Amino acid sequence: MTIAYLDCFSGISGNMMVGALLDAGMPLEYLEAELKKLALSSYKLIDKEVSKNGIRARYFNVDVNKWFQPARNFNDIRLIIEDSLLSDQVKKHSLAIFSRLAAAEAKVHGVAVDKIHFHEVGAIDSIVDIVGTAIGLEYLGIVEIYASALHVGSGYVKCSHGLMPVPAPATAELLTGIPFYAEGIKKELVTPTGAAIVAALAKGFGSPPAHFITRKVCYGSGSRDIDIPNVLRLYLGDKELRNNLGAAGETKIIETNIDDLNPQVYGYVMERLFAAGAHEVYLTSILMKKNRPGTKITVMAAAGKVSDIVQILLAETSTLGVRILGCETTHIDVSMLNIETEWGTVKVKVGKLNDKVMNIAPEFEDCKTIAVKHKIPLKTIHLQVLRSCGPMLDLMLK
Ligand SMILES: O=C([S-])c1cc(C(=O)S)c[n+]([C@@H]2O[C@H](COP(=O)(O)O)[C@@H](O)[C@H]2O)c1
Ligand code: NI
């Protein structure tokens, strides 16, 4: 499981992020070919090696022919991404980042999200940076991102509105819930695009996650010449395998006991918690003080999701507080396979430990859909899908 840790000691921008991903091994030709899947033209990618205060880094930028760029609002950009032949994952990550950026701009300027403007010429620079980031993450197999606190810089930056304080208003909005600092450098070090990337994708902030082991250190160059190297440092790594049992993850348990909530509400709260990224949510019947029957809600989630989870519990239930417990998890590597059956494709979850197949699980929802459609018992579908796994099943039984 490849993990990225972004060391934003000199800030982060879209260009720095793509530069770091190129430095990490995404070939420029691959990026170019993938970006061609978008209905965009009249731009050129710039990719070169530079030295920033003695550190070799990859500088990435987009050269835009401004005469050929139409004005684009968020909806135009969403359609360009959705209508492309990019993978679902690249679309999902790109739209997640763009949505954060658009929401921040909308809030700052007091307009609806679909009315917001993007600052670069026809937004092409933002599209390339954001979609390029999603392409790089997929190419490098990065499944989790963590980031340090962000060094935002200080002073003022020239925008189409005139001079704006650093961090720029959209950046400040995007930094909600993210630790940041300024240390006297009078330049804009974190741009709205950079902030949107970490806001949308990072699972946690601060030090690298527990048991993170670096495999490679990469640098994406910024365009500033300042006293510190203007680079984004990207650590690519894995979570350490402990006792040969599997990868350890940083998970939190958030719990609360409730004895005065309308029981109709629990299902809705669970839905919201899952939508916010909870790995698991479950309810336990408990007997509380004054012999009152009550319910314990337990949520398991990545550390970076805790504040969203707590927010939902406090807003949607009658609780006045929650417990947050640290916990370590151990799990095997999980991948998804598409298995062809006589009824169509079924996704199958394969769990491996040190390349040994430990578990094969046909996706319940896929089996259920077929069972309902073809009026065949669910267990028959399940067995048939397992049989179609053929050699994979043999590997497990060995
Ligand atoms: O021109 C406008 S409207 C503008 C507004 C803001 C806000 O924060 S609101 C910020 N900016 C600046 O544009 C550049 C480009 O940022 P990217 O994220 O697209 O690289 C940056 O300097 C922002 O501070 C412009
Ligand atoms: Ni703006």
Side-chain angles (χ1 to χ4, degrees):
M1 168 150 114
T2 302
I3 293 177
Y5 177 69
L6 301 171
D7 186 359
C8 306
F9 68 87
S10 196
I12 180 168
S13 66
N15 294 346
M16 289 163 92
M17 182 70 193
V18 179
L21 292 167
L22 287 164
D23 201 37
M26 167 173 59
L28 181 70
E29 304 69 42
Y30 179 82
L31 175 63
E32 263 165 349
E34 285 298 296
L35 287 171
K36 283 207 177 107
K37 294 179 178 171
L38 294 165
L40 292 176
S41 61
S42 305
Y43 70 90
K44 250 180 32 211
L45 304 186
I46 301 167
D47 169 36
K48 57 185 177 187
E49 289 219 342
V50 294
S51 174
K52 296 301 263 188
N53 305 25
I55 296 182
R56 182 211 53 81
R58 205 74 173 259
Y59 175 82
F60 174 80
N61 212 335
V62 189
D63 191 6
V64 183
N65 186 336
K66 64 181 177 184
W67 302 114
F68 293 98
Q69 298 304 326
R72 294 185 182 99
N73 64 24
F74 176 51
N75 205 37
D76 299 325
I77 293 172
R78 195 173 53 73
L79 290 176
I80 291 176
I81 294 170
E82 277 174 359
D83 293 347
S84 74
L85 289 175
L86 288 163
S87 74
D88 286 350
Q89 181 175 308
V90 169
K91 287 182 188 177
K92 185 177 128 199
H93 281 157
S94 306
L95 290 172
I97 301 168
F98 255 117
S99 306
R100 299 296 282 253
L101 193 54
E105 285 288 341
K107 172 121 188 280
V108 168
H109 298 300
V111 294
V113 167
D114 53 355
K115 292 278 177 307
I116 68 105
H117 53 280
F118 284 90
H119 308 120
E120 303 295 332
V121 183
I124 200 154
D125 189 32
S126 312
I127 300 175
V128 169
D129 287 351
I130 289 172
V131 179
T133 295
I135 291 169
L137 297 178
E138 184 180 64
Y139 180 86
L140 297 165
I142 295 171
V143 293
E144 280 180 13
I145 297 182
Y146 297 84
S148 66
L150 309 187
H151 185 181
V152 292
S154 62
Y156 294 86
V157 63
K158 213 173 187 173
C159 301
S160 55
H161 308 294
L163 283 186
M164 286 285 183
V166 169
T171 309
E173 204 55 53
L174 285 156
L175 290 173
T176 307
I178 298 177
F180 69 92
Y181 61 96
E183 268 179 358
I185 291 191
K186 286 205 170 321
K187 289 282 182 207
E188 181 188 46
L189 299 181
V190 176
T191 64
T193 304
I197 290 170
V198 288
L201 304 181
K203 286 184 81 172
F205 293 92
S207 304
H211 314 297
F212 179 80
I213 302 289
T214 303
R215 211 190 310 140
K216 194 172 183 183
V217 185
C218 322
Y219 293 94
S221 170
S223 49
R224 310 286 185 208
D225 285 312
I226 47 181
D227 288 347
I228 56 172
N230 187 212
V231 291
L232 168 66
R233 180 154 54 189
L234 164 68
Y235 293 85
L236 269 195
D238 310 273
K239 280 193 180 168
E240 181 190 7
L241 286 178
R242 297 180 318 117
N243 304 330
N244 236 12
L245 275 176
E250 200 193 354
T251 298
K252 297 275 182 192
I253 295 178
I254 307 110
E255 278 185 352
T256 187
N257 298 354
I258 300 175
D259 65 2
D260 57 353
L261 181 67
N262 174 356
Q264 290 176 315
V265 175
Y266 286 101
Y268 173 69
V269 175
M270 284 176 96
E271 274 172 30
R272 283 213 57 197
L273 292 166
F274 278 120
H279 300 322
E280 182 59 287
V281 183
Y282 57 92
L283 307 179
T284 313
S285 283
I286 50 176
L287 196 61
M288 293 176 58
K289 62 182 179 305
K290 301 185 187 170
N291 287 327
R292 283 186 196 152
T295 302
K296 178 169 76 173
I297 305 183
T298 307
V299 185
M300 292 203 259
K305 302 281 182 194
V306 168
S307 66
D308 289 351
I309 302 283
V310 171
Q311 180 71 30
I312 293 171
L313 288 171
L314 295 177
E316 298 285 1
T317 76
S318 51
T319 192
L320 302 176
V322 301
R323 300 181 288 281
I324 302 169
L325 316 168
C327 93
E328 285 192 358
T329 60
T330 301
H331 55 85
I332 55 181
D333 291 330
V334 176
S335 56
M336 275 296 187
L337 283 184
N338 282 333
I339 295 293
E340 296 307 327
T341 72
E342 56 185 295
W343 307 289
T345 308
V346 174
K347 291 192 282 304
V348 172
K349 222 180 249 167
V350 179
K352 284 187 186 168
L353 178 61
N354 298 334
D355 286 334
K356 163 106 179 79
V357 178
M358 306 292 282
N359 200 49
I360 299 179
E363 280 288 274
F364 175 77
E365 292 298 335
D366 287 1
C367 295
K368 183 178 144 192
T369 306
I370 293 174
V372 171
K373 189 171 166 198
H374 296 275
K375 301 192 176 51
I376 299 171
L378 186 74
K379 63 185 180 193
T380 309
I381 311 283
H382 192 268
L383 281 172
Q384 189 57 45
V385 175
L386 278 179
R387 188 179 281 168
S388 305
C389 290
M392 188 66 78
L393 195 58
D394 296 342
L395 272 181
M396 183 181 158
L397 296 174
K398 244 194 216 162

